[in-house]
Each structure stands twice: as C-alpha cells, then as structure tokens.
C-alpha cells in the first residue's frame, strides 16, 4: 500500500486529464463531421422521425431543445430532444446524434434491460449522489474519535453504499450508450441513409462520444475505491 495514497491521487489526476482530452477530441470530431453534408439532404429531425417510423414507434415525438450538447431521450414523456444545431443541420454529425438518441427510444420500446435498470436507479441517485461524499467525510471524522470511532465507520460505510449507486449508474450507462450507438449505425447503414464516407464520420463521432462515458465510469469506480480504502484502514 502506497503511503498517503500517492498512486490514487495520480490515478484521479490522470483520469481528469484523460477526460479533458477525450472531451476536446469529441468537440473537434463533431466540428469536423459537421462539415460533411449529407447527400440525402435530410436534417437531424427528419432522420430521427424516419428511424422511429422504421421501427414502428408512433408515440415518440422529436422536438428541438435549446443549447448545445443538450441532446437526449426522455422516457417519461417519450420525446427525442435534439439540440437546435442537430435538429436543423444536415450533416454526418447531426445524423449520428439524432439516430443515437432514437436508439434510446428503440431501447425503451423494446424494454432493453440495461436501460430499465438505469431508469430505476435515477431517483435513488438523485437523492444519494449529492450527499454521499459528505456522509463519508462525516464518518471518517467520527472515526478519529476514540469514543465513537466504531459508529463513525458505520456512518462512512453508509456513505460508501450511497456512493456505490452513482458508480453503478455510471457502469450501467456504458452498455446503454454503446447499444444505442450500435442501433443507430446499423440503421444508418442498412437503410442506406448515408454514403460510406458519411457513415465513417458518423461512426467516428459516436465512438468518441462513447469514450466520454467510459472515462466517467472509470472515474466513478476509482473514486469509490479511494474512499473505501480510506474508510477501511488504508492509511498506514
């Protein structure tokens, strides 16, 4: 065990750096593929609507959302929300994003197990994620007391349990996002919605988008392990 957890501080720093690099690369990729205009002339909204229709989904609406990187599927009101740029633009990046978000709608319609699991975790994570670290901090502080140290450890363990829900959420998000991208790319290719060059752009853009979730999951796991080591006597 490394004194002072130097290795874990390095790990956390490395993950932050990798996250920044991946995020910047993703922005560059989307900027690049936003210049690859679709030969079919369809906008992101039109592509989303066609993909929904091709999958027999008639109860999901495609709407425009304000802001950038605000694209998402809302299972509660069954809406595919596309940022204004994606909604209106007619390029490989817009095709990739709109088809990916419809991929989530297809998951919902087919009761994809990992999406169902993630949806069930949402209310739990909303409650526990904001307070879990503070509970761990409080428990560790109490552990320093000779009188109530044992109780402090139980408080810290409760905080770790709360933190584990957010970590599980990040891990489950990976198959959900990768599967949505795979559904999107398969549909774009099988329905001849894009040319080979346009397809490569869409595939590359979604690949980098998925990597942001991968880095986030690794970061969540590393953070949970770090605090677990603090609670269970990691300090020499």
């Amino acid at each position: 065990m490394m004194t002072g957890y130097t290795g874990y501080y390095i790990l956390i720093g490395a993950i932050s750096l990798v996250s920044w690099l991946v995020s910047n690369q993703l922005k560059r990729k989307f900027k690049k593929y936003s210049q690859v205009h679709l030969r079919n002339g369809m906008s992101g909204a039109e592509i989303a609507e066609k993909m929904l229709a091709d999958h027999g989904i008639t109860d999901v609406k495609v709407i425009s959302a304000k802001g950038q990187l605000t694209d998402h599927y809302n299972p509660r009101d069954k809406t595919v929300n596309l940022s204004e740029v994606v909604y209106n633009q007619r390029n490989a990046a817009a095709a990739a994003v709109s088809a990916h978000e419809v991929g989530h709608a297809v998951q919902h319609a087919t009761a994809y197990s990992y999406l169902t699991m993630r949806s069930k975790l949402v209310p739990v994570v909303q409650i526990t994620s904001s307070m879990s670290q503070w509970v761990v901090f409080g428990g560790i502080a109490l552990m320093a007391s000779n009188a109530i140290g044992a109780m402090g450890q139980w408080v810290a363990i409760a905080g770790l349990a709360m933190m584990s829900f957010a970590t599980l959420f990040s891990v489950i998000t990976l198959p959900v996002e990768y599967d949505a991208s795979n559904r999107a790319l398969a549909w774009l290719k099988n329905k001849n919605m894009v040319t080979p060059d346009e397809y490569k752009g869409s595939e590359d853009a979604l690949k980098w988008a998925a990597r942001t979730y991968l880095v986030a999951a690794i970061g969540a796991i590393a953070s949970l392990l770090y605090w677990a080591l603090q609670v269970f006597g990691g300090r020499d």
Side-chain angles (χ1 to χ4, degrees):
M1 184 74 61
M2 236 179 250
T3 302
Y5 298 105
T6 303
Y8 285 95
Y9 286 122
I10 293 172
L11 177 61
I12 291 170
I15 289 171
S16 297
L17 176 60
V18 171
S19 178
W20 180 80
L21 291 171
V22 170
S23 178
N24 277 293
Q25 181 70 352
L26 174 62
K27 291 176 182 177
R28 285 194 291 269
K29 291 290 185 179
F30 270 87
K31 183 177 180 180
K32 175 182 177 180
Y33 298 126
S34 290
Q35 307 302 317
V36 179
H37 300 290
L38 298 181
R39 290 188 185 179
N40 64 22
M42 295 177 71
S43 66
E46 291 168 339
I47 286 173
E49 288 168 352
K50 177 166 176 52
M51 185 172 171
L52 287 168
D54 285 352
H55 285 84
I57 300 174
T58 59
D59 58 348
V60 173
K61 292 183 179 180
V62 179
I63 62 176
S64 178
K66 292 183 179 180
Q68 294 182 330
L69 302 177
T70 53
D71 310 275
H72 67 282
Y73 170 67
N74 188 333
R76 290 186 297 275
D77 60 9
K78 292 190 174 183
T79 56
V80 171
N81 299 263
L82 302 178
S83 59
E84 293 171 339
V85 172
V86 172
Y87 188 92
N88 295 304
Q89 294 299 313
R90 306 167 189 273
N91 53 58
V97 173
S98 58
H100 172 88
E101 297 307 334
V102 173
H104 288 308
V106 176
Q107 290 174 335
H108 189 198
T110 57
Y112 179 61
S113 59
Y114 286 108
L115 180 66
T116 301
M117 291 169 61
R118 190 176 73 166
S119 297
K120 289 180 178 177
L121 279 172
V122 168
V124 179
V125 172
Q126 287 176 336
I127 295 172
T128 61
S129 62
S130 60
M131 65 177 74
S132 61
Q133 209 165 44
W134 293 108
V135 175
V136 174
F137 287 162
I140 291 174
L142 291 173
M143 285 167 63
S145 169
N146 291 329
I148 54 175
M151 185 183 76
Q153 187 172 47
W154 283 110
V155 171
I157 290 171
L160 289 175
M162 295 164 66
M163 191 180 293
S164 68
F165 285 113
T167 304
L168 180 61
F169 183 86
S170 285
V171 172
I172 290 177
T173 293
L174 290 178
V176 172
E177 295 300 328
Y178 277 97
D179 180 77
S181 290
N182 289 338
R183 291 174 190 265
L185 292 170
W187 177 79
L188 288 171
K189 186 174 185 178
N190 294 337
K191 295 294 183 177
N192 296 313
M193 296 300 297
V194 290
T195 66
D197 285 342
E198 293 164 359
Y199 178 85
K200 288 180 181 178
S202 296
E203 183 180 39
D204 196 31
L206 290 179
K207 177 181 69 177
W208 281 98
R211 286 174 178 172
T212 64
Y213 293 101
L214 177 60
V215 173
I218 293 172
I221 293 169
S223 179
L224 180 63
L225 289 175
Y226 170 77
W227 290 114
L229 284 169
Q230 292 280 62
V231 171
F232 293 110
R235 288 197 178 103
D236 293 333

